[in-house]
Amino acid sequence: MSRVRVAAFGVSLDGFGAGPNQSLEHPLGEGFGEIMSWFFPTQFFRRMHAGQQDGETGVDNSMAEKSFENVGAWILGRNMFGPVRGPWPNEDWKGWWGEEPPYHCQVFVLTHHARGTLRMKGGTTFHFVTDGIEAALERARQAAGGRDVRIGGGTSTVRQYLHAKLIDELHLAQRPLLMGRGENLFAGLDLPALGYQCSERIAGERATHLILRRS
Amino acid sequence: MSRVRVAAFGVSLDGFGAGPNQSLEHPLGEGFGEIMSWFFPTQFFRRMHAGQQDGETGVDNSMAEKSFENVGAWILGRNMFGPVRGPWPNEDWKGWWGEEPPYHCQVFVLTHHARGTLRMKGGTTFHFVTDGIEAALERARQAAGGRDVRIGGGTSTVRQYLHAKLIDELHLAQRPLLMGRGENLFAGLDLPALGYQCSERIAGERATHLILRRS
């Protein structure tokens, strides 16, 4: 069955899903690289990112692998796609990932500013959706062809979909680190009232993996 | 060296240190018993609370034991002492713990309403401190005689001492549960800016133990 999932979503111990002051130099906000530093040493990431054969195996690696399994389409908030804010000055920016992004499927980017479809190497196509999160999900579901829709983030996008009760499963990778500032995933969200509970806790080498599901 | 510690302090995955609607029936707020349910099955708690010889051993039990080691004095917020709010109508309320509370030392209760010292069985004495958190800490340090001062909570009290940079070590026991409502430990607190970082993560049977220290 097709599910709507958030996976391998890094959070700090104090609930931050992004650091402050996002920019070209700090796509995830200042200090947030540390929060994702459970992911970077995994064999899965090393292989995907750099075609390397090294990297660690273990619980974190297995959770990283699972996060990409059975994904048929992605949804990204616009800031996950790039540092450009406001209207697109041109179409030069093609994402953080170079010529061949790691998605290899249809990716729906939420934005208020229309832009033409962008086809990349390796089967990734970026569609820019201006008519809201539900429309993006509808299109992503169709594109996924029965596989899962993965909501890649950022924090604000995940919060919007949680608030709308549209996420079936959310896998958080909690690093034992404090951020103090940035975008808080939980602030003002009453997740139990929205139908969510935590159904699994899996201790990885560098992160604690928490699986939230909606009943 | 004498330290100021918070220990075995239960928090939910979304950062709540107490549930909503605290009352006589729900001293920790509604639903919060679940957050402390890593503590109740331990051999340490069973022995302390009911003089029982059963209970689980393991990581959670060992963290529960450590939380009581080398403690020379306690500080409690007034709501940790009881459900009475505002001026004391009389001196009938003597704490949640019956005749012989589990402290066995001097306990300093923060309150805006003066009350006489209360001596209980087993060496616990409750002092009611009306001149603020620093005065309470000063008195607790003297009473501790070189051992640690443990700040027992609740959330608001811990937040005040964190904000004042007066806590040396904070051991959180994070349960993989969502609360959604109640008192959030982290909200609006920039812990790194206050000098705190997480220095250890220990996966217990029912809780993830996170040790925060101030540098």
Side-chain angles (χ1 to χ4, degrees):
Chain A
M1 204 191 76
S2 174
R3 291 175 306 163
V4 179
R5 290 162 55 203
V6 173
F9 191 81
V11 288
S12 69
L13 161 49
D14 45 355
F16 290 93
N21 307 320
Q22 292 180 19
S23 65
L24 185 58
E25 294 76 39
H26 300 287
L28 303 166
E30 289 167 16
F32 205 76
E34 266 302 299
I35 300 294
M36 288 308 292
S37 65
W38 67 273
F39 184 56
F40 304 138
T42 62
Q43 186 182 70
F44 178 80
F45 177 79
R46 297 284 302 158
R47 217 173 254 174
M48 178 178 79
H49 182 70
Q52 301 295 318
Q53 292 307 310
D54 60 352
E56 297 176 12
T57 56
V59 173
D60 287 339
N61 183 61
S62 144
M63 295 305 291
E65 277 176 355
K66 279 186 191 168
S67 76
F68 275 77
E69 279 172 9
N70 198 43
V71 174
W74 286 70
I75 295 173
L76 303 180
R78 194 246 182 113
N79 299 351
M80 279 286 289
F81 177 73
V84 183
R85 303 291 186 264
W88 305 99
N90 53 51
E91 302 207 343
D92 290 353
W93 180 265
K94 296 189 162 73
W96 303 102
W97 307 275
E99 293 283 290
E100 187 173 339
Y103 301 105
H104 311 292
C105 62
Q106 316 272 315
V107 179
F108 297 86
V109 178
L110 300 163
T111 170
H112 295 294
H113 304 279
R115 178 172 165 175
T117 294
L118 177 61
R119 277 169 228 289
M120 306 294 289
K121 277 192 195 161
T124 297
T125 302
F126 292 109
H127 303 276
F128 299 85
V129 182
T130 55
D131 47 354
I133 64 168
E134 302 202 10
L137 182 54
E138 185 52 39
R139 290 179 63 185
R141 272 194 213 276
Q142 285 174 23
R147 288 191 293 160
D148 294 342
V149 173
R150 180 165 166 188
I151 296 173
T155 304
S156 161
T157 299
V158 173
R159 286 171 55 85
Q160 288 173 57
Y161 278 104
L162 284 169
H163 201 262
K165 306 180 186 177
L166 290 172
I167 293 172
D168 298 308
E169 183 182 292
L170 192 145
H171 156 214
L172 300 177
Q174 186 196 52
R175 284 273 294 155
L177 292 169
L178 295 163
M179 285 292 299
R181 294 187 304 147
E183 283 186 77
N184 198 289
L185 179 63
F186 301 116
L189 267 191
D190 185 344
L191 290 175
L194 293 168
Y196 293 93
Q197 272 306 346
C198 180
S199 51
E200 268 181 89
R201 173 188 62 136
I202 302 150
E205 293 77 14
R206 290 185 174 81
T208 303
H209 301 275
L210 299 151
I211 315 295
L212 279 50
R213 293 198 178 94
R214 187 160 187 278
S215 54
Chain B
M1 204 192 76
S2 174
R3 291 176 306 164
V4 180
R5 290 162 55 203
V6 173
F9 192 81
V11 288
S12 69
L13 161 49
D14 45 354
F16 290 93
N21 307 320
Q22 292 179 19
S23 65
L24 184 59
E25 295 76 40
H26 301 286
L28 303 166
E30 289 167 16
F32 205 75
E34 266 302 299
I35 300 294
M36 288 307 293
S37 65
W38 68 274
F39 184 56
F40 304 138
T42 62
Q43 186 183 72
F44 178 79
F45 176 80
R46 297 285 300 159
R47 218 174 252 174
M48 178 178 80
H49 181 70
Q52 301 295 318
Q53 292 306 312
D54 60 353
E56 297 177 12
T57 56
V59 173
D60 286 339
N61 183 60
S62 144
M63 296 305 292
E65 277 176 355
K66 279 187 190 165
S67 75
F68 276 77
E69 279 171 9
N70 197 42
V71 174
W74 285 70
I75 295 173
L76 303 180
R78 193 247 183 111
N79 300 350
M80 279 285 289
F81 177 73
V84 183
R85 302 292 186 265
W88 305 99
N90 53 52
E91 302 206 345
D92 290 353
W93 180 265
K94 296 187 162 73
W96 303 103
W97 309 274
E99 293 284 290
E100 187 173 339
Y103 302 105
H104 310 293
C105 62
Q106 316 271 315
V107 179
F108 298 85
V109 179
L110 300 163
T111 169
H112 295 293
H113 304 280
R115 178 173 164 174
T117 295
L118 177 61
R119 279 170 225 289
M120 306 293 289
K121 278 191 194 162
T124 297
T125 302
F126 293 110
H127 303 276
F128 298 86
V129 182
T130 55
D131 48 354
I133 64 168
E134 303 203 9
L137 182 54
E138 187 49 42
R139 292 180 62 186
R141 273 194 213 275
Q142 283 174 23
R147 288 190 294 160
D148 293 342
V149 173
R150 180 165 166 187
I151 296 173
T155 303
S156 162
T157 299
V158 173
R159 286 171 55 86
Q160 288 173 59
Y161 279 104
L162 284 169
H163 201 263
K165 306 181 185 177
L166 291 171
I167 293 171
D168 298 309
E169 184 182 292
L170 192 144
H171 156 214
L172 300 178
Q174 187 195 53
R175 285 273 294 155
L177 292 169
L178 296 163
M179 284 291 298
R181 294 186 305 145
E183 282 186 77
N184 197 290
L185 179 63
F186 301 116
L189 267 191
D190 185 344
L191 289 175
L194 294 168
Y196 294 93
Q197 273 305 346
C198 180
S199 50
E200 269 181 89
R201 173 187 62 136
I202 302 150
E205 293 78 15
R206 290 185 174 81
T208 303
H209 302 275
L210 299 151
I211 314 296
L212 279 50
R213 293 197 178 92
R214 188 161 186 277
S215 54

Short mmCIF file of all heavy atoms in Angstrom, two decimals, chain A residues 43-80:
data_model
loop_
_atom_site.label_atom_id
_atom_site.label_comp_id
_atom_site.label_asym_id
_atom_site.label_seq_id
_atom_site.Cartn_x
_atom_site.Cartn_y
_atom_site.Cartn_z
N GLN A 43 27.52 3.45 4.92
CA GLN A 43 27.85 2.86 3.62
C GLN A 43 26.85 3.33 2.57
O GLN A 43 27.21 3.65 1.44
CB GLN A 43 27.82 1.34 3.74
CG GLN A 43 28.28 0.62 2.51
CD GLN A 43 28.16 -0.89 2.69
OE1 GLN A 43 27.06 -1.44 2.71
NE2 GLN A 43 29.29 -1.54 2.83
N PHE A 44 25.58 3.39 2.97
CA PHE A 44 24.53 3.79 2.05
C PHE A 44 24.78 5.18 1.49
O PHE A 44 24.71 5.41 0.28
CB PHE A 44 23.16 3.75 2.76
CG PHE A 44 22.05 4.20 1.86
CD1 PHE A 44 21.50 3.35 0.91
CD2 PHE A 44 21.55 5.50 1.94
CE1 PHE A 44 20.49 3.77 0.07
CE2 PHE A 44 20.54 5.93 1.10
CZ PHE A 44 20.01 5.06 0.17
N PHE A 45 25.07 6.13 2.36
CA PHE A 45 25.32 7.49 1.90
C PHE A 45 26.59 7.58 1.06
O PHE A 45 26.63 8.23 0.01
CB PHE A 45 25.42 8.47 3.08
CG PHE A 45 25.76 9.87 2.63
CD1 PHE A 45 24.79 10.70 2.11
CD2 PHE A 45 27.07 10.35 2.72
CE1 PHE A 45 25.10 11.99 1.68
CE2 PHE A 45 27.39 11.64 2.29
CZ PHE A 45 26.40 12.46 1.77
N ARG A 46 27.64 6.91 1.51
CA ARG A 46 28.93 6.95 0.80
C ARG A 46 28.77 6.44 -0.64
O ARG A 46 29.33 7.00 -1.57
CB ARG A 46 29.99 6.14 1.54
CG ARG A 46 30.32 6.66 2.93
CD ARG A 46 31.19 7.89 2.92
NE ARG A 46 32.44 7.65 2.22
CZ ARG A 46 33.20 8.61 1.69
NH1 ARG A 46 32.81 9.86 1.75
NH2 ARG A 46 34.33 8.31 1.07
N ARG A 47 27.98 5.39 -0.75
CA ARG A 47 27.74 4.80 -2.07
C ARG A 47 26.92 5.75 -2.95
O ARG A 47 27.25 6.00 -4.11
CB ARG A 47 26.95 3.50 -1.86
CG ARG A 47 27.33 2.39 -2.78
CD ARG A 47 26.60 1.12 -2.37
NE ARG A 47 27.49 0.17 -1.73
CZ ARG A 47 27.11 -0.97 -1.18
NH1 ARG A 47 25.82 -1.31 -1.15
NH2 ARG A 47 27.99 -1.78 -0.64
N MET A 48 25.86 6.28 -2.38
CA MET A 48 24.93 7.13 -3.12
C MET A 48 25.59 8.45 -3.51
O MET A 48 25.45 8.92 -4.64
CB MET A 48 23.72 7.44 -2.22
CG MET A 48 22.68 8.35 -2.84
SD MET A 48 21.27 8.59 -1.71
CE MET A 48 21.94 9.81 -0.56
N HIS A 49 26.32 8.99 -2.57
CA HIS A 49 26.83 10.35 -2.75
C HIS A 49 28.09 10.37 -3.59
O HIS A 49 28.30 11.24 -4.42
CB HIS A 49 27.14 10.95 -1.39
CG HIS A 49 27.63 12.36 -1.45
ND1 HIS A 49 26.81 13.40 -1.81
CD2 HIS A 49 28.85 12.91 -1.21
CE1 HIS A 49 27.50 14.53 -1.78
NE2 HIS A 49 28.74 14.25 -1.43
N ALA A 50 28.95 9.41 -3.37
CA ALA A 50 30.26 9.52 -3.99
C ALA A 50 30.67 8.24 -4.72
O ALA A 50 31.79 8.13 -5.19
CB ALA A 50 31.29 9.85 -2.90
N GLY A 51 29.72 7.29 -4.80
CA GLY A 51 30.07 6.04 -5.46
C GLY A 51 31.18 5.29 -4.75
O GLY A 51 31.83 4.42 -5.33
N GLN A 52 31.38 5.61 -3.47
CA GLN A 52 32.44 4.95 -2.70
C GLN A 52 31.96 3.61 -2.17
O GLN A 52 30.78 3.41 -1.95
CB GLN A 52 32.86 5.82 -1.51
CG GLN A 52 33.35 7.19 -1.89
CD GLN A 52 34.63 7.17 -2.69
OE1 GLN A 52 35.55 6.41 -2.37
NE2 GLN A 52 34.70 7.95 -3.74
N GLN A 53 32.92 2.72 -1.95
CA GLN A 53 32.56 1.41 -1.41
C GLN A 53 32.83 1.32 0.08
O GLN A 53 32.60 0.29 0.70
CB GLN A 53 33.34 0.29 -2.14
CG GLN A 53 32.92 0.11 -3.60
CD GLN A 53 31.41 -0.08 -3.79
OE1 GLN A 53 30.80 -0.91 -3.12
NE2 GLN A 53 30.81 0.71 -4.67
N ASP A 54 33.33 2.39 0.67
CA ASP A 54 33.59 2.34 2.11
C ASP A 54 32.33 2.76 2.88
O ASP A 54 31.23 2.74 2.34
CB ASP A 54 34.79 3.24 2.47
CG ASP A 54 34.52 4.70 2.08
OD1 ASP A 54 33.51 4.98 1.40
OD2 ASP A 54 35.34 5.56 2.44
N GLY A 55 32.47 3.15 4.10
CA GLY A 55 31.33 3.57 4.91
C GLY A 55 30.96 2.49 5.91
O GLY A 55 31.30 1.33 5.75
N GLU A 56 30.25 2.93 6.94
CA GLU A 56 29.93 2.03 8.04
C GLU A 56 28.64 1.25 7.77
O GLU A 56 27.71 1.76 7.17
CB GLU A 56 29.75 2.85 9.32
CG GLU A 56 31.01 3.56 9.74
CD GLU A 56 30.81 4.44 10.97
OE1 GLU A 56 29.74 4.33 11.62
OE2 GLU A 56 31.71 5.26 11.25
N THR A 57 28.63 0.02 8.24
CA THR A 57 27.38 -0.73 8.24
C THR A 57 26.90 -0.77 9.69
O THR A 57 27.63 -0.40 10.59
CB THR A 57 27.59 -2.16 7.72
OG1 THR A 57 28.60 -2.78 8.51
CG2 THR A 57 28.01 -2.14 6.26
N GLY A 58 25.68 -1.17 9.91
CA GLY A 58 25.16 -1.18 11.28
C GLY A 58 23.74 -0.64 11.27
O GLY A 58 23.10 -0.55 10.21
N VAL A 59 23.26 -0.28 12.43
CA VAL A 59 21.87 0.15 12.59
C VAL A 59 21.60 1.44 11.81
O VAL A 59 20.63 1.53 11.06
CB VAL A 59 21.52 0.35 14.08
CG1 VAL A 59 20.14 0.96 14.24
CG2 VAL A 59 21.61 -0.98 14.83
N ASP A 60 22.47 2.43 11.97
CA ASP A 60 22.24 3.70 11.27
C ASP A 60 22.22 3.48 9.75
O ASP A 60 21.39 4.05 9.04
CB ASP A 60 23.33 4.73 11.63
CG ASP A 60 23.16 5.30 13.05
OD1 ASP A 60 22.05 5.23 13.59
OD2 ASP A 60 24.16 5.81 13.60
N ASN A 61 23.14 2.66 9.27
CA ASN A 61 23.19 2.37 7.84
C ASN A 61 21.91 1.68 7.38
O ASN A 61 21.34 2.03 6.33
CB ASN A 61 24.40 1.50 7.52
CG ASN A 61 24.53 1.24 6.04
OD1 ASN A 61 24.68 2.15 5.24
ND2 ASN A 61 24.43 -0.04 5.65
N SER A 62 21.45 0.75 8.17
CA SER A 62 20.23 0.03 7.80
C SER A 62 19.02 0.97 7.78
O SER A 62 18.15 0.88 6.91
CB SER A 62 20.07 -1.15 8.77
OG SER A 62 18.74 -1.38 9.06
N MET A 63 18.98 1.92 8.71
CA MET A 63 17.87 2.90 8.72
C MET A 63 17.98 3.84 7.53
O MET A 63 16.97 4.26 6.95
CB MET A 63 17.85 3.68 10.03
CG MET A 63 17.55 2.85 11.27
SD MET A 63 16.01 1.87 11.20
CE MET A 63 14.77 3.16 11.25
N ALA A 64 19.20 4.18 7.15
CA ALA A 64 19.41 5.03 5.97
C ALA A 64 18.92 4.30 4.71
O ALA A 64 18.21 4.88 3.89
CB ALA A 64 20.89 5.39 5.85
N GLU A 65 19.27 3.03 4.60
CA GLU A 65 18.82 2.23 3.45
C GLU A 65 17.30 2.19 3.37
O GLU A 65 16.69 2.42 2.33
CB GLU A 65 19.33 0.79 3.57
CG GLU A 65 20.75 0.60 3.07
CD GLU A 65 21.28 -0.82 3.28
OE1 GLU A 65 20.57 -1.64 3.91
OE2 GLU A 65 22.41 -1.08 2.83
N LYS A 66 16.69 1.88 4.52
CA LYS A 66 15.22 1.77 4.55
C LYS A 66 14.54 3.06 4.14
O LYS A 66 13.44 3.05 3.58
CB LYS A 66 14.75 1.39 5.96
CG LYS A 66 14.85 -0.08 6.25
CD LYS A 66 14.23 -0.41 7.60
CE LYS A 66 14.58 -1.84 8.00
NZ LYS A 66 14.26 -2.12 9.41
N SER A 67 15.18 4.17 4.46
CA SER A 67 14.54 5.46 4.17
C SER A 67 14.34 5.68 2.67
O SER A 67 13.48 6.45 2.27
CB SER A 67 15.34 6.61 4.79
OG SER A 67 16.51 6.89 4.04
N PHE A 68 15.14 4.99 1.86
CA PHE A 68 15.02 5.15 0.41
C PHE A 68 14.25 4.01 -0.26
O PHE A 68 13.99 4.07 -1.46
CB PHE A 68 16.42 5.28 -0.22
CG PHE A 68 16.96 6.69 -0.20
CD1 PHE A 68 17.47 7.23 0.98
CD2 PHE A 68 16.93 7.48 -1.33
CE1 PHE A 68 17.96 8.54 1.01
CE2 PHE A 68 17.42 8.79 -1.32
CZ PHE A 68 17.93 9.32 -0.14
N GLU A 69 13.90 2.98 0.51
CA GLU A 69 13.21 1.83 -0.08
C GLU A 69 11.77 2.17 -0.46
O GLU A 69 11.06 2.83 0.29
CB GLU A 69 13.16 0.66 0.93
CG GLU A 69 14.46 -0.13 0.98
CD GLU A 69 14.45 -1.13 2.13
OE1 GLU A 69 13.40 -1.33 2.77
OE2 GLU A 69 15.54 -1.71 2.39
N ASN A 70 11.36 1.68 -1.62
CA ASN A 70 9.96 1.77 -2.05
C ASN A 70 9.44 3.19 -2.19
O ASN A 70 8.25 3.44 -2.05
CB ASN A 70 9.05 0.96 -1.10
CG ASN A 70 7.69 0.65 -1.72
OD1 ASN A 70 7.62 0.28 -2.90
ND2 ASN A 70 6.63 0.84 -0.98
N VAL A 71 10.34 4.13 -2.43
CA VAL A 71 9.92 5.52 -2.62
C VAL A 71 9.66 5.75 -4.11
O VAL A 71 10.55 5.55 -4.93
CB VAL A 71 10.99 6.51 -2.09
CG1 VAL A 71 10.59 7.95 -2.43
CG2 VAL A 71 11.19 6.33 -0.59
N GLY A 72 8.44 6.20 -4.44
CA GLY A 72 8.09 6.40 -5.84
C GLY A 72 8.06 7.84 -6.28
O GLY A 72 8.10 8.14 -7.47
N ALA A 73 8.00 8.75 -5.31
CA ALA A 73 8.00 10.19 -5.62
C ALA A 73 8.35 10.94 -4.34
O ALA A 73 8.16 10.43 -3.24
CB ALA A 73 6.63 10.64 -6.13
N TRP A 74 8.88 12.15 -4.53
CA TRP A 74 9.27 12.99 -3.39
C TRP A 74 8.52 14.31 -3.42
O TRP A 74 8.15 14.80 -4.50
CB TRP A 74 10.76 13.33 -3.46
CG TRP A 74 11.70 12.23 -3.11
CD1 TRP A 74 11.95 11.10 -3.84
CD2 TRP A 74 12.56 12.17 -1.96
NE1 TRP A 74 12.91 10.34 -3.22
CE2 TRP A 74 13.30 10.98 -2.07
CE3 TRP A 74 12.78 13.01 -0.87
CZ2 TRP A 74 14.25 10.60 -1.11
CZ3 TRP A 74 13.73 12.64 0.09
CH2 TRP A 74 14.45 11.44 -0.03
N ILE A 75 8.37 14.88 -2.23
CA ILE A 75 7.91 16.26 -2.10
C ILE A 75 8.96 17.02 -1.28
O ILE A 75 9.39 16.52 -0.23
CB ILE A 75 6.54 16.34 -1.41
CG1 ILE A 75 5.47 15.67 -2.28
CG2 ILE A 75 6.15 17.78 -1.10
CD1 ILE A 75 4.11 15.53 -1.61
N LEU A 76 9.37 18.16 -1.77
CA LEU A 76 10.34 18.99 -1.04
C LEU A 76 9.79 20.39 -0.87
O LEU A 76 9.18 20.94 -1.80
CB LEU A 76 11.66 19.11 -1.82
CG LEU A 76 12.42 17.85 -2.21
CD1 LEU A 76 13.69 18.23 -2.97
CD2 LEU A 76 12.78 17.02 -0.98
N GLY A 77 10.04 20.97 0.26
CA GLY A 77 9.81 22.40 0.40
C GLY A 77 10.82 23.14 -0.46
O GLY A 77 11.89 22.62 -0.79
N ARG A 78 10.50 24.35 -0.79
CA ARG A 78 11.34 25.08 -1.72
C ARG A 78 12.75 25.31 -1.17
O ARG A 78 13.73 25.28 -1.91
CB ARG A 78 10.67 26.42 -2.01
CG ARG A 78 11.24 27.14 -3.19
CD ARG A 78 11.92 28.41 -2.78
NE ARG A 78 12.42 29.11 -3.93
CZ ARG A 78 11.97 30.27 -4.37
NH1 ARG A 78 10.97 30.87 -3.75
NH2 ARG A 78 12.52 30.83 -5.41
N ASN A 79 12.87 25.50 0.15
CA ASN A 79 14.20 25.73 0.73
C ASN A 79 15.06 24.47 0.76
O ASN A 79 16.27 24.55 0.93
CB ASN A 79 14.08 26.31 2.13
CG ASN A 79 13.36 27.64 2.14
OD1 ASN A 79 13.09 28.21 1.08
ND2 ASN A 79 13.03 28.14 3.32
N MET A 80 14.41 23.32 0.61
CA MET A 80 15.16 22.07 0.46
C MET A 80 15.77 21.99 -0.93
O MET A 80 16.72 21.25 -1.18
CB MET A 80 14.24 20.86 0.63
CG MET A 80 13.93 20.48 2.03
SD MET A 80 15.31 19.67 2.89
CE MET A 80 15.36 18.07 2.05
#
